[in-house]
Amino acid sequence: MIINKNVRIPMRDGVHIAADIYLPDGVEKVPALLALSPYGKELQAQALTLPPQARPSHLWNGAIEAGDIRVVVENGYAHIIADVRGTGHSEGEMCGNYNSGGHGDGKDIYDIVEWMAEQDWCDGNVGMIGISYFASVQILGAAEKPPHLKAIFVNGGHFDLYELCYHGGIMWLMPRASREGRGGDSGNAFNHVSSKSSKVYSPEELQRMTEERLKDPDIAHWSDFVHLLHYQDRHELWMDYLLNPLDGPFWQKDSAIDVAHKVDIPVYFQAKWGRGWNVEGTIECFHRVQGVKKLDIQALPPMLERPFHECHDEMFRWYDYWLKGIDTGIMDEPTVQFSVEGSYKWRKEKQWPLPNIEHKDFYLRPRHKISEKREPLTSEYAHPDGFYQAPLTVTTKSQNLKWSTDKFREAVEMTGTGALYLFAEIDTDDTNFIAKLYDVDPNGKRTLMTSGYLKASHRELDEDKSTYGEPWHPHTRAIPVPPGEIIEYAIRLYPFSFLIKPGHRVELELACNEPLDGEDAKLLPPDSYHLPSGRATMHKIYRDADHPSRLVLPVIPKNFDITNQ
């Protein structure tokens, strides 16, 4: 291949973006794939020398995400890897996550794409490549409508910036790795960066917001964040998350999910069943884009290898069709395909969600049972379950409650979005509700099916958007919980697809905190847990005739068989 390093590409405002260009040797003009991130183009070049690593390899670096350079070039494409402004060798300033408080990554993508199309090695057909950050910015770029961006292939992107870090209003610590550079991630290659908060809030507002966060027991009991709040120029992009625990214009304006409706070129979405990680946003973004589109949700494990090289065969089928004009057959296939976990089979469908889903009630009952029948007795006789969770300042143990169905007598497929409607009483003004749904085989082995998260103070529902079995929360304000009051909480369970086999059981686990080394996070980067509650809280869970706590799960009718057997 031909390699041109550190090429300077001019932007509309005079800033120069630095890029490395990898070209097939001996070919005059080819289509080109653009990769853009703040992680450093030199790091991406390790795809040429570092064998792919899977979690939990110590050499796994989550930021090597631009794709397999050698394979891209061998397939007849130019591979352009650029540093976003304010990072690596590029000029300018990066302000906020995805430059949401600054010039905007989308505008730079427009300028880079049009510059690429004019080069003597490019035939004028441009796509984009890469996962995570590299995928998210594809939507931002496509929304700007550069004429020569003909199609995109979006794998594992994060489109809702609030959901990236707050699940049900509970802070998720995994994104901290890429912002700060912690175990399993090298972090951003900053040269000039600032938080969006420092630009949009006055010094007085920042001081007030900082004081409010320091008063939050969850933050006050986490010394790392107390430290960062006192030194806000240390990790600017993570500071935006620390200071802004509510959703709203700060996160939504000009985010990928906000501008997705402007995208009208062909888009192929890919994700892995993540048990609450980016699948929800991927599906919503899929619905919002306007052009030809496909959705592909793949089997676990949730983390791809690094350097990223997987899924390239499907990507080349997509780009060979849209950029080279080769009929690969990809447009003859159904719009939606996904792995049905627990079955080793795939569904190929016309739409998501599937038609004819039955939202079926499964009630929590005494003696830790789950039944399709409601509890007939009141709480006077069917007393509540309970658990006390002390903060991590005095314990490392995460308490939980479990309820289980009897063994299933026949196979049941559940595909879609679910909910847990929970009647609970706490003795503090806030807590976390973390729900995890497991498939349990006859030997007792548990497999996580899906999960749901809700901060009690974020219980307010979006009444216009919510339906039975699919609650939505705006997360635009926190309403303290009246201690001692029994309240119904609607906890959204993330989209999933699972075949429960005969002899298996379904188990619900409810907790306030997660084990810091929990089994479900072992394949994710370090710190992939949710910020524990800092309150010492007693939780009482009511599941009686007057308080029908229940799971509402998306059951597929028996006559709706899995295709592609």
Side-chain angles (χ1 to χ4, degrees), residues 529-542:
Y529 46 81
H530 292 78
L531 182 65
S533 174
R535 295 163 173 84
T537 304
M538 181 66 199
H539 306 75
K540 291 182 180 179
I541 309 303
Y542 290 80

Side-chain angles (χ1 to χ4, degrees), residues 65 98 130-139 153-161 163-164 256-257 268-272 277-283 285 304:
E65 300 176 331
Y98 300 94
I131 57 175
S132 191
Y133 192 105
F134 292 88
S136 306
V137 296
Q138 293 187 37
I139 298 296
F153 192 90
V154 182
N155 188 325
H158 306 280
F159 311 106
D160 184 327
L161 291 186
E163 187 207 24
L164 172 58
I257 203 74
Y268 194 120
F269 287 96
Q270 264 188 351
K272 277 179 169 277
W277 184 26
N278 87 6
V279 173
E280 182 108 276
T282 296
I283 292 172
C285 201
L304 295 164

